[in-house]
Structure formats: structure tokens, C-alpha cells
Amino acid sequence: MGLICRRGGGRPWVCAAPVGHLIADLVDGCAHVEQVSVLPSQRGRRIGEGLVEHLAGWARDRGLPALTLTTYRDVPWNGPYWVRLGFRELIAPGPGLRAIREHEAARGLDVWPRLAMRRELAGS
């Protein structure tokens, strides 16, 4: 579904379909990226990056110091992607992130190595 705009007669019709989403939470006093997903047909348009930047602005406006997330370390579209967006491995995660990692491990997500990451927010 795309954008439809009919200009005749002063009646615009607009249909917009979501192409991606970001789910966030507050964990250890930071904005935590729970999930980012973009339709495969929309890859390469930096929609996910835009969603992350929107979250960063939201977090800055609230005085939060950082963004955090957990992800697969070596899967090319995970760990390396987040490094490109300014995230760094968090060696000593707080209690909330540790609990998330424990929950992930209990659900079997540690088939491949996972890690917690953090991106400091300037101006916070």
C-alpha cells in the first residue's frame, strides 16, 4: 500500500501503510530498544536508523543519558549495524539489562553470541 493523493475537487485521499516500527522501554534509567523492524521491501532506506534517531531525540528531551539494546554480536545486520549507529558493547550492564539477557538465554536466544550495547546521548 502506498500514498494515494487525489487533488481534484479539493478532496485529498491519503493512504499510508506502516513500513517499520520501534518498540522502546525504560531500562536502568535509559531508553532501551526492545525491537526495531522494517519491511524487507524497504531495506536500504535508513528507516530503522530514522526510528532510532527519533528515539534518541525523545530520550534527550527527557534527560536520559543513553540508549541501550541487546542483540546478536556477529550477525552482520545486528552487532555491526548497531556499532555503525554509535552503540558500543556494554561490559558491565546494569540489573535491568542483566535480567533481559537472562530472560533471552532462558528463551534459547543464545544459540549465537549475544551482547548488551549502549549509545551515549550528547547533551543529556
Side-chain angles (χ1 to χ4, degrees):
M1 195 177 271
L3 178 67
I4 302 167
C5 184
R6 184 174 140 187
R7 297 175 193 245
R11 291 181 220 79
W13 301 93
V14 178
C15 178
V19 296
H21 70 270
L22 183 146
I23 300 169
D25 201 356
L26 292 175
V27 175
D28 296 330
C30 299
H32 180 74
V33 179
E34 285 286 332
Q35 182 184 35
V36 177
S37 186
V38 175
L39 290 175
S41 64
Q42 302 299 309
R43 264 196 315 220
R45 297 179 186 217
R46 297 184 177 224
I47 294 167
E49 181 178 350
L51 290 167
V52 170
E53 292 310 317
H54 181 79
L55 176 62
W58 179 89
R60 270 189 215 94
D61 289 348
R62 284 150 183 81
L64 301 177
L67 304 180
T68 61
L69 57 87
T70 61
T71 191
Y72 291 106
R73 176 186 309 275
D74 301 319
V75 176
W77 57 87
N78 279 265
Y81 172 78
W82 293 111
V83 167
R84 199 179 83 229
L85 294 186
F87 286 81
R88 300 290 174 253
E89 182 172 0
L90 188 53
I91 303 302
L97 281 175
R98 283 195 309 271
I100 289 170
R101 285 290 302 116
E102 288 167 7
H103 180 72
E104 291 172 345
R107 289 179 42 214
L109 293 178
D110 281 2
V111 174
W112 296 296
R114 289 185 65 81
L115 72 157
M117 300 184 87
R118 179 179 172 116
R119 174 179 151 185
E120 300 298 327
L121 297 174
S124 294

